Amino acid sequence: MRGLVEQMIGLGLVNMSSTAVEVKRKAVGGLIAGVFFLTAYVALVMALAFYVATEAGAVAAALVVAAAAMAGALVVLAVVAVLNRRTEQLVLARQAALAAARPDPLTARLVQELPSMIRSSPIAAAVMVSSFAYVLARSQGFGRRPKA
């Protein structure tokens, strides 16, 4: 049993180290891509400002670029607010489903007392759990079928 646990821990550590390398790689790649996207965005804003400046003047160009940035920011805020609202509704629905699926108080009390029962009398607890599993399996139709 000890060898199996050691092997499982070894596999877990190998997986963790490869996951850490993968996360580092994704973080560095995302950072580099972010710098390039930011550079492209600044170049796009400057090109827009230069184009509008040749058509309407420097002040109008600054106002157009500022208005476009403000409109973009408002759209992003609206989308984030809608997504947050949807997430909040999903969380509330999930909490309501969990509250409705909670076991009755008798079952909850039995599950709460199970560790102390196992500490006080492990054999009796094992017999009780196995008989409960047997009754549950028979009620679900598992096990031998009666001869026809």
Side-chain angles (χ1 to χ4, degrees):
M1 182 70 178
R2 185 174 149 206
L4 178 65
V5 171
E6 288 175 358
Q7 287 179 353
M8 290 174 63
I9 290 173
L11 287 173
L13 290 177
V14 168
N15 192 13
M16 289 294 285
S17 65
S18 66
T19 303
V21 168
E22 188 177 325
V23 167
K24 286 179 192 175
R25 188 178 306 124
K26 285 183 180 179
V28 169
L31 183 65
I32 291 170
V35 168
F36 283 128
F37 282 128
L38 185 63
T39 304
Y41 174 74
V42 169
L44 178 69
V45 169
M46 287 178 57
L48 177 67
F50 290 148
Y51 175 74
V52 175
T54 60
E55 298 293 323
V59 175
L63 290 175
V64 167
V65 170
M70 186 67 70
L74 290 175
V75 167
V76 168
L77 287 176
V79 168
V80 168
V82 167
L83 292 176
N84 285 343
R85 174 72 182 198
R86 185 181 304 166
T87 303
E88 183 180 341
Q89 288 174 347
L90 287 174
V91 167
L92 290 175
R94 198 173 297 134
Q95 286 175 351
L98 284 175
R102 287 212 170 100
D104 60 316
L106 179 63
T107 306
R109 181 75 176 158
L110 285 174
V111 169
Q112 186 179 5
E113 292 296 323
L114 187 63
S116 63
M117 288 171 36
I118 290 174
R119 271 186 247 113
S120 65
S121 177
I123 294 174
V127 168
M128 184 185 73
V129 169
S130 62
S131 62
F132 178 70
Y134 174 77
V135 168
L136 184 65
R138 294 300 282 181
S139 70
Q140 297 297 322
F142 295 114
R144 288 189 226 146
R145 303 270 185 240
K147 293 183 180 180

